[in-house]
Amino acid sequence: MSTSSTFSFADRSNAGDALPAPHGYKEFNSHASAASSNSSNKKNKQSQRDLKEIKMKRAWVTAQSPSKSIFMNMFMAWMSGSSIGIFSIMIMGYMLYGPLMAAIGVNSTFRAYEDPGVSLLLPKLTFVALNAVVFCIGLYKAHTLNLIEVSDADWAIYVQPAMPTDQIHFSG
């Protein structure tokens, strides 16, 4: 005993017999094709605007990501102490190398968000500025470790001693 049933999505004359159209199903009607192409153009433009907004939001999230590491780097610099050791040197090197490489690679970082209608100048500048803050924390750490020569005493070895101009002769 075999039963065969034919279901039609297009036949809507008897609502009790027809199944509802599945999600994403589009009926083709030659009379409504012009109206649907207009609505599809509007939807396409709306989706392009939405895509540009999403790209801009994600670019700003990426631009603000170095701000999350500022306090962590400050805490690591404080915890490593002020004496010269392998860990304090490694932490200081990390705080100098990481932001420098991130600032150099800013274009490759934001390449995924490039779009003709999206200006990435402000997010890129924010990204570089926040990385510069982390870099300055690393410079301060190098200064507290006395690895950066900034005072006159640091350069005293290169200063020639003053030669006396007056000579005293004893006759005796």
Side-chain angles (χ1 to χ4, degrees), residues 75-122:
F75 181 71
M76 286 174 46
W78 177 67
M79 287 299 289
S80 66
S82 61
S83 62
I84 296 179
I86 186 70
F87 292 112
S88 59
I89 298 291
M90 285 174 47
I91 289 171
M92 184 211 48
Y94 163 75
M95 285 189 281
L96 294 175
Y97 181 76
L100 187 64
M101 290 296 115
I104 289 172
V106 70
N107 286 330
S108 62
T109 303
F110 286 93
R111 186 164 291 134
Y113 311 118
E114 288 178 353
D115 199 302
V118 177
S119 173
L120 296 175
L121 180 65
L122 238 52

Side-chain angles (χ1 to χ4, degrees), residues 3-12 14-22 25:
T3 59
S4 66
S5 299
T6 306
F7 297 107
S8 172
F9 295 118
D11 182 26
R12 305 287 178 167
N14 189 356
D17 294 342
L19 292 175
Y25 177 76

Side-chain angles (χ1 to χ4, degrees), residues 40-51:
S40 70
N41 285 341
K42 288 179 184 177
K43 287 180 184 179
N44 191 16
K45 288 179 183 178
Q46 180 66 29
S47 67
Q48 286 177 352
R49 271 189 265 132
D50 291 344
L51 182 63

Side-chain angles (χ1 to χ4, degrees), residues 128-162:
V128 170
L130 290 173
N131 276 306
V133 169
V134 177
F135 186 78
C136 288
I137 294 169
L139 286 178
Y140 177 75
K141 181 63 180 174
H143 170 69
T144 59
L145 292 174
N146 292 326
L147 295 175
I148 298 178
E149 300 173 348
V150 292
S151 68
D152 292 339
D154 293 330
W155 298 94
I157 192 170
Y158 301 112
V159 176
Q160 295 294 326

